[in-house]
Amino acid sequence: MTTKELIGKVVCITGAAGGIGSAIARAFAGAGTNLALLDLNEEGLSRLANELRGKRTPPISVSTAVADLSTEQGVKSGIAEVLSAFGNRIDILVANVGFLIAQRFEELTAEHWQHGFALNFFTHVYACQAAIPLMKQQGGGSIIFTGSDQGLQPDAGLGPYAQAKAAVHSLVKMLARELPSDGILVSAVAPGMTRTPLVERLMEGYAREFGTDSKTAEKLELQRRGVPLGRLGEPEEVAEAVLYLATAPYCNGTILNISGGNVRSVTS
Ligand SMILES: NC(=O)c1ccc[n+]([C@@H]2O[C@H](COP(=O)([O-])OP(=O)(O)OC[C@H]3O[C@@H](n4cnc5c(N)ncnc54)[C@H](O)[C@@H]3O)[C@@H](O)[C@H]2O)c1
């Protein structure tokens, strides 16, 4: 598929108001897709929707729903609401919402584990439960998750985030075996540290740990992890990879790592 064939498709993005979500929304808007956007951040969502509605001639349609995506009810009613503008059509689901919990194992409570898995794993299960029957009715579709290099190669102090991301990657591999007979392809991007509000908060924590400012903490953390490119990724670089997966007909079960070479494994 070429990006031209994306024109008029309906793309549903969770966590759309965030750094990576909004870059993905801009990339699809640039390719002429209609957008169904979900987030808890009402102001961010409405700012983004207004920006995107004016982005192309002829204009694309953008529908939004404010939803708490940490619960099954929030995900399912949010997706139903946002897709109603498109007669329940969904060609591409980008299951992107996520929340970083960065604490060492001994500091983590049951609540941390439950919330970490709610917003980094179960939310995607519920989104798939909502999207897959609609895609089957239409004769196909595509699902792309935002995984993480932490799901492939966990660093210290990133539980339960890293474990939930590993579970997402496992879900990708399983669905990629179950769904192609219904014309549905499933893949994920696995970004390394990318310049978004999520990483800004992470750097504030590292700055306290290192006793430095956030800018210096960023350099030190990139060195500590041994990221070969020695810089953060940009949200637009992740968005380009999502667009690639959405148009690559032989990518299924693919976990596309975009980590500046941080992931050492030869198996992902
Ligand atoms: N930034 C990185 O370094 C990085 C690296 C690898 C993977 N990721 C993944 O990329 C995805 C996007 O992260 P980001 O960096 O853009 O983060 P971000 O914090 O900029 O965006 C996250 C978005 O999720 C929304 N959100 C949070 N809790 C919610 C809830 N309960 N209900 C609905 N929406 C909620 C926030 O309002 C925000 O708009 C996540 O899955 C994250 O794990 C990020």
Side-chain angles (χ1 to χ4, degrees), residues 122-140:
F122 288 115
T123 184
H124 304 315
V125 172
Y126 305 139
C128 288
Q129 285 176 335
I132 290 167
L134 300 175
M135 288 180 177
K136 280 189 177 180
Q137 266 172 29
Q138 295 160 195

Side-chain angles (χ1 to χ4, degrees), residues 14-24 38-42 44-45 65-71 75 95-100 115 118-120 123-124 145-150 161 165 189-202 225 232-233 235 238 258:
T14 69
I20 290 176
S22 59
I24 295 171
L38 295 132
D39 205 289
L40 193 55
N41 175 353
E42 185 170 3
L45 207 51
V66 177
D68 179 357
L69 300 173
S70 67
T71 69
V75 175
N96 165 76
V97 71
F99 180 78
L100 184 69
H115 191 58
L119 260 177
N120 292 298
T123 184
H124 304 315
F145 296 85
T146 308
S148 171
D149 64 345
Q150 291 303 316
Y161 179 80
K165 291 294 185 179
V189 287
M193 284 191 294
T194 307
R195 194 175 301 288
T196 71
L198 178 146
V199 152
E200 275 164 29
R201 289 189 294 274
L202 181 68
R225 291 195 191 184
L232 299 184
V238 178
I258 318 151

Side-chain angles (χ1 to χ4, degrees), residues 88-116:
N88 295 328
R89 183 163 190 96
I90 175 171
D91 296 293
I92 299 168
L93 168 67
V94 184
N96 165 76
V97 71
F99 180 78
L100 184 69
I101 294 175
Q103 276 175 225
R104 295 189 74 85
F105 182 77
E106 284 160 285
E107 296 161 356
L108 289 166
T109 63
E111 229 170 73
H112 287 127
W113 284 99
Q114 275 151 13
H115 191 58

